[in-house]
Amino acid sequence: DYSSAEASLGNGSFTNCQRNLVSECAKNDWGSANYNFSTYFQDDFKVSPRITLNLGVRYDVYNYIGVDKLANSRVYQALKAAGSPYGQLPKIDKNNWQPRLGIAWDVRGTGKDVVRASYGIYYTQGLQQIYWQRNFMNQSVIKADTTTFLLDFVPGVTPLPATALAPTALPRGAGTEGRWYDPNLQDQQTQQTHVGWSHTFPRETVLAVDYTHVLNKHGWRNLDVNPVLPTIGTRALAAAFGSALGDSNILGPVILAASLNRSTYDEMAVHFERRFSAASSLLVNYTLARARAQGGETDWGYTDPYTQTVSATGGDINAPWEFGPTAFDERHRLTLAGVLNLPWGMDVSPAFTIGSPRPYTLYRGSQGAVGNQGLYQILCPSGNSNDVGFGVGQVPCGLNNARGNTLVNFNARVTKNVKLTGERRVSVFAEFFNILNRANFGRNYGNILGSATYQKPTGYLGGIGATSTIPISFQVQFGARFSF
């Protein structure tokens, strides 16, 4: 009861507001209690003077789905009445056991050569927005988005449909967008494997090489199980809804949260560091990496419900073109940084970074003709003359099938130190950003075939107005520091 809480706070009665917040306002589904429970054991064990083991196990339960209210969902009730396999209630995942194992081996017992390895399983809490979107349908007044008119909508011609001000049931014939859960929903799992080696050379020089493999399973994604099927021109569940409820358009798209996504990340990181003095050093970092995922997304829960081949089960998400690089698949990155002491009290701190182009997806047009199902990827030769649905010998090119421009960024700080009496000192400095005055567009390119911006830059890496992390042009700022 948000209004009661606000009214109590407005009258100066914090106790009442606090009571309301605890019992009602803080509920994810406006009713049932939400909680998470975690417990773990982890400790280091010295097996020998050279070998240390880290062993542990963790257990988590996340209850944010609001199971007490789910039976009130109008989407669930419609799916159940129509005999859909998705017309079932999901359960809280209580099988989240997570073992962890780590080992550090001092190869020679001198601390100069150390080998590290580890493996662990992790479960993550679902995004609150996923629950929140679906909990609208559990309330006494629901959120009903009309979609039927969109199938044949002509801007400026098609009249907007009349809708109820405060609907308590699914409006008939409106094609309301429904959001629900796959009954087999489970928490998202990450398996992380790591192995690394570091060696200390004379003169305070260190080299480290690390490899990391991350496998993400049961990632949440959106699936539309009631799309318009091109073969019949109607939605997949239209006949079932018509038979069971007398309204074939009671629901439009039905977007399920399903734990079906899979992604991988592989990284080899090389770190070199050389210290010339207490205030002078050189760092070199190189990363070779690859990130791939179904739907091109590892940010679980935000994957679009659109596939190149729609179906009553959410489309063919296992097709080769539905698995590809993520938006952050930067294959190579090299960074050089350091602090160099020069004569006459001068210090120079350069930082140079170069990174491979990041990917983006090229599309050939909208799927609006088959029910606003997103965008069609551009087509590529398949080498198979029997491919059906995309043109003879052609298939979609795949997610993130193009690359933007290479990241090149060079910054530096130049400092002049002036020593005064005693411990007092003045340092005057100039900081130079994007010295090469390079436009780093990243993956911000037009991606719709035939548009004026197709494969042309539309923004900058870090955002259209980004100036803090990667300035869009050369910048310089001056300052001074007084130490005493």
Side-chain angles (χ1 to χ4, degrees):
D1 187 350
Y2 286 92
S3 59
S4 297
E6 291 174 358
S8 299
L9 184 60
N11 291 330
S13 178
F14 180 74
T15 302
N16 289 338
C17 177
Q18 188 177 48
R19 183 171 63 248
N20 284 333
L21 285 171
V22 172
S23 63
E24 298 180 36
C25 294
K27 308 303 183 182
N28 183 59
D29 64 349
W30 302 274
S32 56
N34 301 152
Y35 68 85
N36 68 310
F37 170 80
S38 302
T39 184
Y40 71 93
F41 165 83
Q42 194 155 340
D43 203 358
D44 290 331
F45 301 89
K46 196 78 171 180
V47 178
S48 73
R50 298 185 183 183
I51 299 177
T52 301
L53 288 179
N54 182 278
L55 302 176
V57 63
R58 182 184 176 99
Y59 178 73
D60 287 289
V61 177
Y62 301 109
N63 178 17
Y64 293 94
I65 198 170
V67 292
D68 298 344
K69 294 288 185 178
L70 289 182
N72 297 332
S73 169
R74 314 310 193 271
V75 179
Y76 158 69
Q77 294 169 359
L79 291 171
K80 182 178 180 181
S84 168
Y86 304 112
Q88 304 177 53
L89 296 173
K91 298 179 177 62
I92 299 172
D93 190 353
K94 297 182 178 181
N95 193 35
N96 296 347
W97 292 99
Q98 305 152 76
R100 283 92 185 268
L101 168 65
I103 182 171
W105 175 31
D106 186 350
V107 179
R108 301 180 182 178
T110 62
K112 293 184 177 181
D113 282 284
V114 178
V115 175
R116 306 172 299 274
S118 64
Y119 172 80
I121 296 178
Y122 307 82
Y123 285 90
T124 62
Q125 175 187 332
L127 294 172
Q128 289 290 316
Q129 182 175 351
I130 304 303
Y131 308 122
W132 177 70
Q133 290 173 330
R134 285 152 179 81
N135 286 333
F136 276 119
M137 286 295 177
N138 305 344
Q139 312 310 312
S140 56
V141 175
I142 64 173
K143 179 177 182 287
D145 297 324
T146 302
T147 65
T148 301
F149 76 98
L150 291 174
L151 298 179
D152 302 305
F153 181 73
V154 178
V157 177
T158 307
L160 296 177
T163 57
L165 179 61
T168 58
L170 294 172
R172 301 190 66 80
T176 300
E177 180 182 281
R179 290 185 179 263
W180 184 237
Y181 303 98
D182 185 324
N184 299 315
L185 188 73
Q186 55 187 302
D187 290 328
Q188 304 149 109
Q189 182 194 91
T190 295
Q191 298 182 24
Q192 299 187 20
T193 306
H194 171 265
V195 60
W197 164 78
S198 63
H199 177 74
T200 301
F201 295 91
R203 299 181 181 178
E204 300 188 24
T205 302
V206 176
L207 174 66
V209 181
D210 292 271
Y211 169 74
T212 301
H213 172 72
V214 179
L215 170 63
N216 297 323
K217 300 173 62 178
H218 316 308
W220 288 15
R221 71 172 293 156
N222 291 314
L223 295 179
D224 184 2
V225 296
N226 193 31
V228 175
L229 300 177
T231 54
I232 60 177
T234 59
R235 294 196 178 274
L237 296 173
F241 285 143
S243 176
L245 303 173
D247 186 353
S248 60
N249 289 321
I250 193 72
L251 284 173
V254 176
I255 312 299
L256 297 185
S259 47
L260 300 174
N261 244 33
R262 183 183 179 92
S263 65
T264 60
Y265 176 75
D266 292 274
E267 174 191 277
M268 183 188 73
V270 180
H271 171 81
F272 175 82
E273 181 175 351
R274 171 69 186 274
R275 290 189 175 274
F276 304 103
S277 67
S280 181
S281 63
L282 173 66
L283 299 176
V284 180
N285 290 314
Y286 168 73
T287 302
L288 172 65
R290 187 175 77 160
R292 294 171 61 81
Q294 280 177 310
E297 292 285 347
T298 54
D299 188 6
W300 297 324
Y302 283 107
T303 308
D304 288 336
Y306 310 126
T307 57
Q308 299 298 291
T309 306
V310 298
S311 75
T313 57
D316 186 6
I317 67 169
N318 295 311
W321 48 83
E322 301 291 349
F323 188 92
T326 73
F328 304 99
D329 180 49
E330 190 177 84
R331 297 298 176 85
H332 305 274
R333 174 172 282 234
L334 175 66
T335 300
L336 295 88
V339 178
L340 305 176
N341 296 129
L342 301 177
W344 306 296
M346 300 285 290
D347 292 330
V348 177
S349 304
F352 177 79
T353 298
I354 182 169
S356 297
R358 297 184 182 184
Y360 64 100
T361 306
L362 294 176
Y363 296 102
R364 70 184 193 274
S366 171
Q367 295 183 10
V370 291
N372 195 33
Q373 294 301 316
L375 297 168
Y376 283 124
Q377 298 171 13
I378 61 171
L379 298 177
C380 290
S382 69
N384 185 349
S385 60
N386 296 321
D387 289 311
V388 178
F390 304 107
V392 176
Q394 291 184 314
V395 294
C397 290
L399 291 163
N400 288 317
N401 46 53
R403 295 271 171 174
N405 78 326
T406 301
L407 164 66
V408 180
N409 190 39
F410 180 35
N411 306 322
R413 173 173 173 151
V414 179
T415 304
K416 168 63 177 176
N417 299 300
V418 180
K419 188 174 181 179
L420 304 177
T421 59
E423 297 295 325
R424 287 177 290 185
R425 183 177 64 178
V426 172
S427 299
V428 180
F429 59 85
E431 295 177 329
F432 304 90
F433 302 96
N434 198 350
I435 294 173
L436 301 178
N437 198 31
R438 178 180 174 84
N440 290 297
F441 302 115
R443 64 189 299 269
N444 297 294
Y445 284 76
N447 61 351
I448 306 299
L449 183 65
S451 67
T453 60
Y454 185 65
Q455 292 192 288
K456 295 180 180 180
T458 58
Y460 297 92
L461 188 64
I464 294 177
T467 58
S468 56
T469 56
I470 304 179
I472 61 178
S473 62
F474 171 72
Q475 297 180 22
V476 61
Q477 65 182 21
F478 302 94
R481 181 176 60 201
F482 174 59
S483 304
F484 58 93

